[in-house]
Each structure stands twice: as C-alpha cells, then as structure tokens.
Amino acid sequence: MFKSLAGILSNDLAIDLGTANTLVYARNKGLVCSEPSVVAVASDSRGRGERVLAVGSEAKAMLGRTPSGIRAVRPIKDGVIADFEVTEAMLRYFIQKAHNRSKLVRPRMVICVPPEITSVEKRAVRESALSAGAREVFLVEEPMAAAIGAGLDVTAPTGNMVVDVGGGTTDVAVISLSGIVTSSSIRCGGDKMDEAIIQYVRRKYNVLIGERTAEDVKITIGTASPHGKTQTMEIKGRDLVAGIPKTVMATSEEIHEALVEPIGAIVESVHMTLEKTPPELAADIVDRGIVLVGGGSLLRDLDVVLRDRTGLPIMRSDDPFTAVVYGAGKALDDLELLREVSFE
Ligand SMILES: Nc1ncnc2c1ncn2[C@@H]1O[C@H](COP(=O)(O)OP(=O)(O)OP(=O)(O)O)[C@@H](O)[C@H]1O
Ligand SMILES: [Mg+2]
C-alpha cells in the first residue's frame, strides 16, 4: 500500500547519462529532458572555485567559442566520467529540471551505465544521484536498456544482439534470459568519427576545423559506404598556412575516406563479439538479426556496410537516440523486470 502510494506521489526517473546526450524519462510523464551532456563553468574572479554558467544546448553552443575564464566541458569522455564534479552538477541540474519539486516523496531512479564501468565510477554515479535527491538507485547496463527500449524480449531464452553506436563508445552485446552473455565495448563512436574528419581536412587541405563543424559535416554528408550518391558541402575553418579563415568544398567520398578507420573498428568489434557468442545464441542471431541503436547508427549506409560484412539482417531502431532511456523507463514501470536487469 505504502509503496504504491509512493509511486503515485513521486516522479520516478530513468536517466541515460551519455557522452553526447543526457535523456531523462519520468514515470507517468514520458521523456522530460533531452539535452547535450555539456556544462559551461566560469572560474570565480577571485580564484575561488568555479560556478556553473549553463548546461545542455546552451552550453553546447559555447563549445570551442569560450573566452578565458569560461570552460565549456563535456564531463563524460569515451563513455566514462572524466570530470566527477561537473558530471554531478550536470546530473543535479537535469534531475531538478525533470523532477517536480512539489511531489512529496523522493524519486526512485534508474541510471543507465556503460557495461564496462568500474566500481569507483558506479559509486560516483550512485552517490551523485542520491545527493541529487534519489531515495533508491538502480543501475542498468546501457545495452540491456537499449534492447528493452527496442522492444526485444530480454527475458526469453533467445539470443538478441544489440549494437549501440554512441558518441563515446560502441557497445555490442548479446542478451538472453535477462543477462548480457557476451559483450564488447570500444572507445570509438561518433566523437572518433568527428576527430577523423578533423584530421583528414587538416592533412588534405591544411585547414583546421572545430569539433562542431566536423560533426555537422559527418551528419550532412558522412557515409560508411563509398557507393552512395555523391554529395558536397562547404567546410569553413582556419587556413594553417595563411592563418586566415578559409572555405573548402568537400565531397562525401572524401568524408567516407576519412571515416574508414572508425567504421572498420565498429565492424571489427561486431565480428569479435559474434566469434565469442555461444553457438545456440549465434543461431538465434542469424534468424533475428542485429538491432542498431545510438545516434552514431544514423550515419548513412552504416547498416548496409554491416549487412555486407556480417551477412546478417540489420534492423535500425525507430528512434536510436531514445531506445536506452525508454528501455530504462519500461523497467521503472515493471519492478520485477527492474530487479532482474539491474545490479548493485
Ligand atoms: N545523422 C547522424 N549521422 C551520424 N551521426 C550522428 C547523426 N546524428 C547524431 N549523430 C551522432 O550520434 C552521437 C550521439 O549519439 P548518442 O546520443 O546515442 O550518444 P550517447 O548516448 O550520448 O553516447 P554514449 O552512449 O557513447 O555515452 C554523436 O556523435 C552525434 O554526432
Ligand atoms: Mg548512449
């Protein structure tokens, strides 16, 4: 009785704390927050610590554009927390934004974490959630949440493979009976693609471009396959020789060339996980295919390349950005499922 009352009076939350984006789902409300994982901090003029200036999209617009005294930082790098204090400040901001303060009971929180998280990081995530007002914290591995969000029956004795191409990492996991049977995680995702584009433009044109520009190029004309229709785009940066702003025209073939290495690493990681998969589950995957989630999976023709290289059916999830948070949200609504898939 008390438990069900607590459920009505509190806004239980599910949070996907990603390298690129943080999403929050509130029970009975749905998705309440979806913002870039970026924080702008200003150092105190008297040199006494720092204060948070902006969080989310507002802070993302400041990336690479800050004067001295202000830092726009992405506290989560390569899928792991690189800056604990800033991460905590960000988490608190998003939770406060999502959580209706007038509610009487403190919320229960499900937080999605990378499968390779260390116990120190687990404790840090748990503690920041508690200090931000959680009454109970459940950690769920991202691939598990993604699989639930993509509508797979994770509790069945059947093998399902999920590939999550995020900003910081690509996680590949085979799930059966509410557990991860085999998995691999590489520090290669959307960010590495952006870096590869920066390097390529620098080498080929002697022009330095920023991270935001590189991401824009990737999303607009980037492709995993050399066979698609050619697209072109103007890229603006700074000429490294003359030192002045310069515009170059780039083609999708060039950007494909720039992306060969990160794409190769992603395909390789899927291969390696398939090799480690027990035969009965491998047989299930042949029938059921691989489900692709994560923003990076939107790269043009990534599904085509994976299909060619593995010979398996590839399914893109309907909304790759929200699969993880909605999966965690489903677990929040189903305590039995939550107990099965979460861990200490
Ligand atoms: N249309 C697109 N084509 C290619 N990449 C894209 C596209 N749209 C978004 N991305 C990339 O998707 C990445 C963000 O994906 P997502 O939000 O799933 O990451 P995340 O969950 O924050 O990261 P992680 O799971 O690694 O912690 C970014 O690198 C972004 O540039
Ligand atoms: Mg993610």
Side-chain angles (χ1 to χ4, degrees):
M1 168 64 192
F2 175 72
K3 276 212 167 134
S4 62
L5 204 59
I8 297 163
L9 296 176
S10 73
N11 270 328
D12 290 345
L13 302 176
I15 302 173
D16 172 13
L17 195 58
T19 309
N21 298 298
T22 296
L23 287 84
V24 184
Y25 166 100
R27 193 166 179 192
N28 305 323
K29 280 194 189 164
L31 194 64
V32 288
C33 167
S34 163
E35 296 234 29
S37 308
V38 187
V39 183
V41 288
S43 47
D44 192 281
S45 54
R46 293 185 208 110
R48 277 193 250 137
E50 294 182 314
R51 70 190 165 86
V52 173
L53 211 61
V55 182
S57 357
E58 205 187 322
K60 189 177 182 186
M62 298 181 190
L63 274 179
R65 297 197 169 104
T66 49
S68 66
I70 298 179
R71 309 187 285 143
V73 283
R74 296 180 50 192
I76 306 170
K77 284 233 164 61
D78 301 331
V80 296
I81 297 175
D83 189 328
F84 286 110
E85 272 174 43
V86 176
T87 302
E88 187 169 336
M90 184 175 82
L91 196 56
R92 183 165 303 135
Y93 173 89
F94 288 137
I95 289 170
Q96 275 165 6
K97 198 175 146 192
H99 189 237
N100 187 345
R101 292 256 117 198
S102 67
K103 298 280 177 168
L104 301 170
V105 183
R106 297 197 299 157
R108 174 186 287 141
M109 281 182 208
V110 176
I111 304 198
C112 306
V113 293
E116 247 107 288
I117 190 170
T118 66
S119 48
V120 174
E121 285 162 351
K122 262 184 232 166
R123 202 171 329 125
V125 170
R126 187 181 293 280
E127 266 160 27
S128 37
L130 290 170
S131 76
R135 84 167 179 280
E136 221 182 338
V137 182
F138 297 86
L139 303 182
V140 175
E141 289 163 308
E142 282 164 20
M144 178 61 80
I148 298 171
L152 304 175
D153 181 4
V154 296
T155 58
T158 313
N160 287 296
M161 182 178 258
V162 181
V163 176
D164 180 352
V165 186
T169 59
T170 295
D171 299 322
V172 184
V174 175
I175 289 165
S176 175
L177 288 169
S178 309
I180 292 181
V181 182
T182 37
S183 70
S184 76
S185 177
I186 52 167
R187 295 190 172 188
C188 175
D191 290 346
K192 279 278 152 58
M193 297 182 202
D194 301 347
E195 274 168 40
I197 292 173
I198 295 175
Q199 297 295 339
Y200 183 89
V201 173
R202 184 187 186 130
R203 240 181 295 128
K204 178 141 188 191
Y205 294 104
N206 256 312
V207 168
L208 187 62
I209 60 170
E211 271 173 49
R212 296 290 318 269
T213 303
E215 182 184 28
D216 203 22
V217 172
K218 170 187 71 181
I219 292 174
T220 315
I221 62 168
T223 170
S225 150
H227 305 304
K229 195 170 125 261
T230 301
Q231 289 174 299
T232 55
M233 181 178 173
E234 278 188 352
I235 307 181
K236 298 191 184 83
R238 175 163 56 83
D239 189 315
L240 282 165
V241 181
I244 51 173
K246 186 175 174 182
T247 305
V248 295
M249 281 300 267
T251 64
S252 46
E253 278 88 4
E254 289 175 309
I255 303 307
H256 164 258
E257 208 181 309
L259 296 178
V260 163
E261 214 173 290
I263 302 297
I266 291 169
V267 173
E268 172 68 24
S269 154
V270 172
H271 260 279
M272 265 177 38
T273 316
L274 286 168
E275 279 167 20
K276 287 192 294 184
T277 303
E280 295 293 354
L281 297 177
D284 292 339
I285 295 165
V286 171
D287 293 337
R288 305 167 63 91
I290 298 174
V291 175
L292 272 186
V293 300
S297 73
L298 288 174
L299 183 74
R300 178 150 69 103
D301 284 346
L302 184 61
D303 54 340
V304 174
V305 169
L306 276 171
R307 190 172 301 135
D308 287 351
R309 305 265 193 96
T310 60
L312 296 170
I314 309 287
M315 271 84 58
R316 275 185 152 140
S317 90
D318 295 337
D319 196 345
F321 288 105
T322 52
V324 169
V325 80
Y326 275 123
K330 268 191 207 166
L332 200 58
D333 293 338
D334 181 346
L335 259 193
E336 200 181 318
L337 178 66
L338 183 58
R339 295 243 146 80
E340 269 183 52
V341 301
S342 67
F343 60 95
E344 282 304 300

